PDB file of all heavy atoms in Angstrom:
ATOM      1  N   GLU A  45      89.400 104.727 115.196  1.00  0.00           N
ATOM      2  CA  GLU A  45      88.344 103.900 115.739  1.00  0.00           C
ATOM      3  C   GLU A  45      87.149 103.898 114.787  1.00  0.00           C
ATOM      4  O   GLU A  45      86.542 102.870 114.525  1.00  0.00           O
ATOM      5  CB  GLU A  45      87.887 104.366 117.128  1.00  0.00           C
ATOM      6  CG  GLU A  45      88.845 104.008 118.227  1.00  0.00           C
ATOM      7  CD  GLU A  45      88.925 102.517 118.478  1.00  0.00           C
ATOM      8  OE1 GLU A  45      87.897 101.915 118.878  1.00  0.00           O
ATOM      9  OE2 GLU A  45      89.981 101.932 118.219  1.00  0.00           O
ATOM     10  N   ASP A  46      86.842 105.065 114.267  1.00  0.00           N
ATOM     11  CA  ASP A  46      85.808 105.241 113.243  1.00  0.00           C
ATOM     12  C   ASP A  46      86.507 105.503 111.947  1.00  0.00           C
ATOM     13  O   ASP A  46      86.941 106.655 111.659  1.00  0.00           O
ATOM     14  CB  ASP A  46      84.846 106.318 113.619  1.00  0.00           C
ATOM     15  CG  ASP A  46      83.785 106.578 112.587  1.00  0.00           C
ATOM     16  OD1 ASP A  46      83.730 105.870 111.526  1.00  0.00           O
ATOM     17  OD2 ASP A  46      82.921 107.468 112.803  1.00  0.00           O
ATOM     18  N   TYR A  47      86.715 104.467 111.089  1.00  0.00           N
ATOM     19  CA  TYR A  47      87.488 104.651 109.880  1.00  0.00           C
ATOM     20  C   TYR A  47      86.909 105.669 108.909  1.00  0.00           C
ATOM     21  O   TYR A  47      87.624 106.260 108.112  1.00  0.00           O
ATOM     22  CB  TYR A  47      87.601 103.297 109.143  1.00  0.00           C
ATOM     23  CG  TYR A  47      88.513 102.321 109.871  1.00  0.00           C
ATOM     24  CD1 TYR A  47      87.995 101.141 110.394  1.00  0.00           C
ATOM     25  CD2 TYR A  47      89.858 102.559 109.979  1.00  0.00           C
ATOM     26  CE1 TYR A  47      88.788 100.254 111.055  1.00  0.00           C
ATOM     27  CE2 TYR A  47      90.672 101.647 110.640  1.00  0.00           C
ATOM     28  CZ  TYR A  47      90.131 100.508 111.160  1.00  0.00           C
ATOM     29  OH  TYR A  47      90.979  99.629 111.819  1.00  0.00           O
ATOM     30  N   SER A  48      85.616 105.933 109.007  1.00  0.00           N
ATOM     31  CA  SER A  48      85.006 106.926 108.130  1.00  0.00           C
ATOM     32  C   SER A  48      85.215 108.330 108.624  1.00  0.00           C
ATOM     33  O   SER A  48      84.983 109.300 107.892  1.00  0.00           O
ATOM     34  CB  SER A  48      83.511 106.654 107.996  1.00  0.00           C
ATOM     35  OG  SER A  48      82.873 106.812 109.228  1.00  0.00           O
ATOM     36  N   SER A  49      85.729 108.460 109.859  1.00  0.00           N
ATOM     37  CA  SER A  49      85.938 109.797 110.416  1.00  0.00           C
ATOM     38  C   SER A  49      87.120 109.785 111.388  1.00  0.00           C
ATOM     39  O   SER A  49      86.962 109.946 112.590  1.00  0.00           O
ATOM     40  CB  SER A  49      84.658 110.268 111.140  1.00  0.00           C
ATOM     41  OG  SER A  49      84.838 111.575 111.622  1.00  0.00           O
ATOM     42  N   PRO A  50      88.343 109.619 110.857  1.00  0.00           N
ATOM     43  CA  PRO A  50      89.542 109.599 111.746  1.00  0.00           C
ATOM     44  C   PRO A  50      89.708 110.949 112.427  1.00  0.00           C
ATOM     45  O   PRO A  50      89.349 111.948 111.856  1.00  0.00           O
ATOM     46  CB  PRO A  50      90.666 109.284 110.795  1.00  0.00           C
ATOM     47  CG  PRO A  50      90.218 109.624 109.458  1.00  0.00           C
ATOM     48  CD  PRO A  50      88.706 109.498 109.479  1.00  0.00           C
ATOM     49  N   THR A  51      90.274 110.920 113.624  1.00  0.00           N
ATOM     50  CA  THR A  51      90.534 112.195 114.328  1.00  0.00           C
ATOM     51  C   THR A  51      92.036 112.379 114.556  1.00  0.00           C
ATOM     52  O   THR A  51      92.736 111.446 114.924  1.00  0.00           O
ATOM     53  CB  THR A  51      89.797 112.193 115.665  1.00  0.00           C
ATOM     54  OG1 THR A  51      90.205 111.064 116.454  1.00  0.00           O
ATOM     55  CG2 THR A  51      88.286 112.197 115.516  1.00  0.00           C
ATOM     56  N   PHE A  52      92.462 113.603 114.316  1.00  0.00           N
ATOM     57  CA  PHE A  52      93.881 113.976 114.483  1.00  0.00           C
ATOM     58  C   PHE A  52      94.216 113.912 115.985  1.00  0.00           C
ATOM     59  O   PHE A  52      93.498 114.417 116.807  1.00  0.00           O
ATOM     60  CB  PHE A  52      94.103 115.401 113.965  1.00  0.00           C
ATOM     61  CG  PHE A  52      95.470 115.918 114.224  1.00  0.00           C
ATOM     62  CD1 PHE A  52      96.534 115.576 113.426  1.00  0.00           C
ATOM     63  CD2 PHE A  52      95.700 116.738 115.326  1.00  0.00           C
ATOM     64  CE1 PHE A  52      97.802 116.069 113.662  1.00  0.00           C
ATOM     65  CE2 PHE A  52      96.965 117.215 115.584  1.00  0.00           C
ATOM     66  CZ  PHE A  52      98.006 116.894 114.758  1.00  0.00           C
ATOM     67  N   ASN A  53      95.362 113.300 116.280  1.00  0.00           N
ATOM     68  CA  ASN A  53      95.816 113.203 117.669  1.00  0.00           C
ATOM     69  C   ASN A  53      97.068 113.967 117.884  1.00  0.00           C
ATOM     70  O   ASN A  53      97.217 114.683 118.904  1.00  0.00           O
ATOM     71  CB  ASN A  53      96.058 111.741 118.004  1.00  0.00           C
ATOM     72  CG  ASN A  53      95.457 111.355 119.323  1.00  0.00           C
ATOM     73  OD1 ASN A  53      94.495 110.581 119.345  1.00  0.00           O
ATOM     74  ND2 ASN A  53      95.972 111.865 120.399  1.00  0.00           N
ATOM     75  N   ASP A  54      98.076 113.814 117.011  1.00  0.00           N
ATOM     76  CA  ASP A  54      99.390 114.456 117.248  1.00  0.00           C
ATOM     77  C   ASP A  54     100.175 114.493 115.947  1.00  0.00           C
ATOM     78  O   ASP A  54      99.931 113.747 115.017  1.00  0.00           O
ATOM     79  CB  ASP A  54     100.153 113.656 118.303  1.00  0.00           C
ATOM     80  CG  ASP A  54     101.229 114.478 119.011  1.00  0.00           C
ATOM     81  OD1 ASP A  54     101.368 115.655 118.682  1.00  0.00           O
ATOM     82  OD2 ASP A  54     101.868 113.908 119.917  1.00  0.00           O
ATOM     83  N   TYR A  55     101.181 115.365 115.937  1.00  0.00           N
ATOM     84  CA  TYR A  55     102.134 115.457 114.819  1.00  0.00           C
ATOM     85  C   TYR A  55     103.457 115.786 115.424  1.00  0.00           C
ATOM     86  O   TYR A  55     103.595 116.612 116.309  1.00  0.00           O
ATOM     87  CB  TYR A  55     101.704 116.593 113.863  1.00  0.00           C
ATOM     88  CG  TYR A  55     102.758 116.963 112.861  1.00  0.00           C
ATOM     89  CD1 TYR A  55     103.035 116.162 111.747  1.00  0.00           C
ATOM     90  CD2 TYR A  55     103.500 118.153 112.987  1.00  0.00           C
ATOM     91  CE1 TYR A  55     103.981 116.497 110.826  1.00  0.00           C
ATOM     92  CE2 TYR A  55     104.454 118.520 112.093  1.00  0.00           C
ATOM     93  CZ  TYR A  55     104.709 117.695 110.989  1.00  0.00           C
ATOM     94  OH  TYR A  55     105.669 118.013 110.085  1.00  0.00           O
ATOM     95  N   ILE A  56     104.511 115.067 114.982  1.00  0.00           N
ATOM     96  CA  ILE A  56     105.869 115.361 115.419  1.00  0.00           C
ATOM     97  C   ILE A  56     106.775 115.355 114.206  1.00  0.00           C
ATOM     98  O   ILE A  56     106.684 114.542 113.320  1.00  0.00           O
ATOM     99  CB  ILE A  56     106.351 114.335 116.465  1.00  0.00           C
ATOM    100  CG1 ILE A  56     107.692 114.761 117.027  1.00  0.00           C
ATOM    101  CG2 ILE A  56     106.414 112.918 115.930  1.00  0.00           C
ATOM    102  CD1 ILE A  56     108.094 114.034 118.305  1.00  0.00           C
ATOM    103  N   ASN A  57     107.690 116.331 114.186  1.00  0.00           N
ATOM    104  CA  ASN A  57     108.705 116.452 113.151  1.00  0.00           C
ATOM    105  C   ASN A  57     110.010 116.758 113.809  1.00  0.00           C
ATOM    106  O   ASN A  57     110.171 117.794 114.438  1.00  0.00           O
ATOM    107  CB  ASN A  57     108.316 117.583 112.174  1.00  0.00           C
ATOM    108  CG  ASN A  57     109.223 117.558 110.945  1.00  0.00           C
ATOM    109  OD1 ASN A  57     110.298 116.993 110.950  1.00  0.00           O
ATOM    110  ND2 ASN A  57     108.807 118.239 109.895  1.00  0.00           N
ATOM    111  N   THR A  58     110.960 115.837 113.716  1.00  0.00           N
ATOM    112  CA  THR A  58     112.241 116.006 114.401  1.00  0.00           C
ATOM    113  C   THR A  58     113.298 116.650 113.518  1.00  0.00           C
ATOM    114  O   THR A  58     114.462 116.731 113.906  1.00  0.00           O
ATOM    115  CB  THR A  58     112.777 114.641 114.910  1.00  0.00           C
ATOM    116  OG1 THR A  58     112.836 113.728 113.827  1.00  0.00           O
ATOM    117  CG2 THR A  58     111.855 114.075 115.991  1.00  0.00           C
ATOM    118  N   ARG A  59     112.893 117.152 112.375  1.00  0.00           N
ATOM    119  CA  ARG A  59     113.817 117.889 111.467  1.00  0.00           C
ATOM    120  C   ARG A  59     114.029 119.302 112.052  1.00  0.00           C
ATOM    121  O   ARG A  59     113.088 119.938 112.480  1.00  0.00           O
ATOM    122  CB  ARG A  59     113.227 117.975 110.076  1.00  0.00           C
ATOM    123  CG  ARG A  59     113.924 118.890 109.117  1.00  0.00           C
ATOM    124  CD  ARG A  59     115.155 118.233 108.529  1.00  0.00           C
ATOM    125  NE  ARG A  59     115.934 119.237 107.805  1.00  0.00           N
ATOM    126  CZ  ARG A  59     115.759 119.547 106.525  1.00  0.00           C
ATOM    127  NH1 ARG A  59     114.811 118.951 105.841  1.00  0.00           N
ATOM    128  NH2 ARG A  59     116.516 120.444 105.932  1.00  0.00           N
ATOM    129  N   ASP A  60     115.284 119.738 112.058  1.00  0.00           N
ATOM    130  CA  ASP A  60     115.607 121.113 112.526  1.00  0.00           C
ATOM    131  C   ASP A  60     115.849 121.974 111.305  1.00  0.00           C
ATOM    132  O   ASP A  60     116.910 121.896 110.644  1.00  0.00           O
ATOM    133  CB  ASP A  60     116.864 121.035 113.395  1.00  0.00           C
ATOM    134  CG  ASP A  60     117.247 122.395 113.959  1.00  0.00           C
ATOM    135  OD1 ASP A  60     116.658 123.423 113.578  1.00  0.00           O
ATOM    136  OD2 ASP A  60     118.121 122.428 114.829  1.00  0.00           O
ATOM    137  N   PHE A  61     114.853 122.828 110.984  1.00  0.00           N
ATOM    138  CA  PHE A  61     114.927 123.660 109.778  1.00  0.00           C
ATOM    139  C   PHE A  61     115.820 124.880 109.937  1.00  0.00           C
ATOM    140  O   PHE A  61     116.032 125.650 109.020  1.00  0.00           O
ATOM    141  CB  PHE A  61     113.541 124.089 109.355  1.00  0.00           C
ATOM    142  CG  PHE A  61     112.708 122.923 108.817  1.00  0.00           C
ATOM    143  CD1 PHE A  61     111.864 122.215 109.601  1.00  0.00           C
ATOM    144  CD2 PHE A  61     112.845 122.542 107.463  1.00  0.00           C
ATOM    145  CE1 PHE A  61     111.129 121.135 109.102  1.00  0.00           C
ATOM    146  CE2 PHE A  61     112.126 121.506 106.969  1.00  0.00           C
ATOM    147  CZ  PHE A  61     111.274 120.782 107.782  1.00  0.00           C
ATOM    148  N   SER A  62     116.402 125.079 111.139  1.00  0.00           N
ATOM    149  CA  SER A  62     117.259 126.236 111.356  1.00  0.00           C
ATOM    150  C   SER A  62     118.651 126.005 110.790  1.00  0.00           C
ATOM    151  O   SER A  62     119.470 126.928 110.637  1.00  0.00           O
ATOM    152  CB  SER A  62     117.353 126.561 112.857  1.00  0.00           C
ATOM    153  OG  SER A  62     118.067 125.534 113.553  1.00  0.00           O
ATOM    154  N   HIS A  63     118.982 124.706 110.461  1.00  0.00           N
ATOM    155  CA  HIS A  63     120.280 124.383 109.873  1.00  0.00           C
ATOM    156  C   HIS A  63     120.148 124.206 108.394  1.00  0.00           C
ATOM    157  O   HIS A  63     119.146 123.632 107.929  1.00  0.00           O
ATOM    158  CB  HIS A  63     120.850 123.121 110.517  1.00  0.00           C
ATOM    159  CG  HIS A  63     121.245 123.297 111.924  1.00  0.00           C
ATOM    160  ND1 HIS A  63     122.406 123.913 112.322  1.00  0.00           N
ATOM    161  CD2 HIS A  63     120.603 122.950 113.059  1.00  0.00           C
ATOM    162  CE1 HIS A  63     122.485 123.943 113.637  1.00  0.00           C
ATOM    163  NE2 HIS A  63     121.379 123.332 114.099  1.00  0.00           N
ATOM    164  N   GLU A  64     121.156 124.623 107.643  1.00  0.00           N
ATOM    165  CA  GLU A  64     121.107 124.475 106.203  1.00  0.00           C
ATOM    166  C   GLU A  64     121.284 122.988 105.836  1.00  0.00           C
ATOM    167  O   GLU A  64     122.084 122.276 106.411  1.00  0.00           O
ATOM    168  CB  GLU A  64     122.272 125.294 105.578  1.00  0.00           C
ATOM    169  CG  GLU A  64     122.277 125.260 104.064  1.00  0.00           C
ATOM    170  CD  GLU A  64     123.314 126.170 103.470  1.00  0.00           C
ATOM    171  OE1 GLU A  64     123.625 127.189 104.103  1.00  0.00           O
ATOM    172  OE2 GLU A  64     123.771 125.861 102.371  1.00  0.00           O
ATOM    173  N   PHE A  65     120.486 122.591 104.858  1.00  0.00           N
ATOM    174  CA  PHE A  65     120.550 121.207 104.376  1.00  0.00           C
ATOM    175  C   PHE A  65     121.563 121.189 103.254  1.00  0.00           C
ATOM    176  O   PHE A  65     121.476 121.914 102.277  1.00  0.00           O
ATOM    177  CB  PHE A  65     119.198 120.749 103.868  1.00  0.00           C
ATOM    178  CG  PHE A  65     119.191 119.360 103.402  1.00  0.00           C
ATOM    179  CD1 PHE A  65     119.154 118.295 104.281  1.00  0.00           C
ATOM    180  CD2 PHE A  65     119.211 119.080 102.040  1.00  0.00           C
ATOM    181  CE1 PHE A  65     119.154 116.985 103.875  1.00  0.00           C
ATOM    182  CE2 PHE A  65     119.225 117.743 101.568  1.00  0.00           C
ATOM    183  CZ  PHE A  65     119.169 116.710 102.495  1.00  0.00           C
TER     184      PHE A  65
END
Side-chain angles (χ1 to χ4, degrees):
E45 283 294 295
D46 178 359
Y47 290 113
S48 65
S49 182
T51 56
F52 174 82
N53 226 111
D54 203 359
Y55 168 75
I56 187 167
N57 188 343
T58 55
R59 170 80 190 273
D60 183 350
F61 290 94
S62 68
H63 292 281
E64 184 174 330
F65 182 78

